Structures are given as C-alpha cells and as structure tokens.
Amino acid sequence: MQRAPAGFGIGLRRPHYRDVFTTPRAIDWFEIIPENYVGYGGLQRDILARVRERWPVVSHGVSTSVGGPDPFDPEHLKGLKALLDYLDPPYFTDHLCYAAIDGRRFHDLLPLPRTEEAVRHVAARARELADRMERPLALENISYYAIMPGGTMSEEAFITAVLEEADCGLLLDVNNVQVNAHNFQQDPFAALAALPVERTRQVHLAGYIVERDMYIDNHGAPVCDGVWGLYRATIERLGEVPPTLLEWDTDIPDLDTVLDQLDRAREVAAGYAVRDAVRAEVAV
C-alpha cells in the first residue's frame, strides 16, 4: 500500500502538469479526481504515472452519488476499483450527497434530506462502496444552497450519524463550513464544533466568491481569512496537523500562486506547533 499522505498537498490539474516536476517548492502529495482518469489514457495517464512515482496520490470522487437512490453504476465502480488498485492509497474519498436519480446525472453535488431513514440509506451504501473498493472511505461535508424538505436533523448531526453508522472517515472541507454557515446565518465555529472532527482523515481548503451576499463555493479564489481561522480551530481541536489539501479548480492560476496558498497553510500549522511547544514548556 502506498504511504499515507502527510503534510500539504494540491490537486493535480492539467495547467500544472509540467510545472509540478520542475518547481523547487515543496508539494507533499497530490489528490486526483478519478473521473478525469478512468477510461482515459494518453498524456494525463502518463503524467499520473510520473506523479505516482514521486508522491503519494489519493482519489477524490465527484460522481459516485453515495447518497443517491440508484444502484451504483457497475462500470463506474469497475473503473474506480482499477484506478484505486493502481494508486493503492490507504483510503479514498467522495461526497456526502447525491448526484443522480433514475440514471440522470446532474453533474452537481446535491444535499440529502436529513432524516433517520436517509442516515441508514447512506451509511449502508457507504459501507457497500468501501467493501467493493476494498479500502476505507472518507466522506466530505458538501456546500449547499437549499435545504431538502422533511429533514429532522441539523447538518452536523446528520453527518455525524452517517459517519458513525457507516464507520467511515471525514474529509473536512473547512471552506464548506464557512460557506454554509454564512448562507444559512449560523456561527461557523459552532458548526465546526458540532462536526465529528475526530474522524478527519484529510482537510480541504479553498476559496469562494460572493454573489448578492451569498457565498458560492467555486474553488476559484484565495482562501479567505474566515476559513484560515476555522483551519486553526481544526488543528487545535485535533491536536495535530491533518493532511491538508489546497483546492483551486476554476480560473486556475499559475502553480506558484497555488503554492503561495499552500505555504500559508504551512505557516498556520507552524504557528500551532510553536504555541504547542510553548505550552509544553510552561507545563514543565
């Protein structure tokens, strides 16, 4: 099995295919969207093979529809399993959402009704998916812009219940915490405190845009100050720095701009390490 990611990584994106091999700046690991590689050869599989030789690579799916009503697509799972076997990561990730109904794919990550029935449904499918991929699964808290009717649970309670029943990990997207809290008039730090952060396998940081006072999670801007604050709080709660990924998926800038944000994450983590060391000295 490939070694687990540690430290600070970025998504492997086409505009950076050549530059990642020549930059003198630190990149500790990469994340790929498997849908960009399953069924494809050519340059992108070539680049993936070269990246895999040098860095840990993990897979972050966007179309499996873990919470959806349709049976899993057997062809998709076959391709995903082959890719995971090739990469051999210690876990794989997807989203706590649905993305298709009656065979129609929405190309979006849509929120589920927050009910006990939905908890049981999603948890069973998450266990099935992990079993079929033969490795642990971690699910991401999504951003959303409407609440499904009929819900009886808060977002945080729903996520906690699904992860506990499925016994799977959390991919904690800190930007999504900030976006959802603003759009639904919540305290983002209270929302973070209510999540099962102890199950975190990996953290995502990203940027958003503002449209008519609504935050839109577009992964196309620098990380905002509020998200950096939530990231600090996450590290404090965990008592360690989790594997941290900087996402930039739209309006993708040059690699150095992305790595500037990654270095900011390193600085935040280093600040925690210094404070922790000072506390230990004082305790002695």
Side-chain angles (χ1 to χ4, degrees), residues 37 43 93 150 153 182 221 225 240 266 274:
Y37 296 88
L43 175 64
T93 68
M153 310 167 76
H182 171 84
D225 288 344
E240 61 183 6
R266 294 181 196 275
V274 168

Side-chain angles (χ1 to χ4, degrees), residues 66-136:
V66 179
D70 295 354
F72 288 123
D73 179 343
E75 286 303 307
H76 173 68
L77 291 198
K78 180 180 177 182
L80 178 60
K81 178 67 163 60
L83 179 65
L84 291 174
D85 286 347
Y86 169 69
L87 295 174
D88 201 22
Y91 60 87
F92 69 110
T93 68
D94 211 296
H95 297 80
L96 181 48
C97 71
Y98 74 98
I101 292 179
D102 291 335
R104 181 180 177 185
R105 296 189 176 276
F106 299 113
H107 304 290
D108 207 345
L109 307 171
L110 300 172
L112 292 157
R114 300 175 196 149
T115 65
E116 295 289 349
E117 182 182 8
V119 167
R120 292 189 294 272
H121 172 75
V122 180
R125 284 171 61 87
R127 290 194 301 269
E128 177 189 351
L129 184 60
D131 288 345
R132 293 175 71 167
M133 295 302 105
E134 298 183 308
R135 64 193 71 239

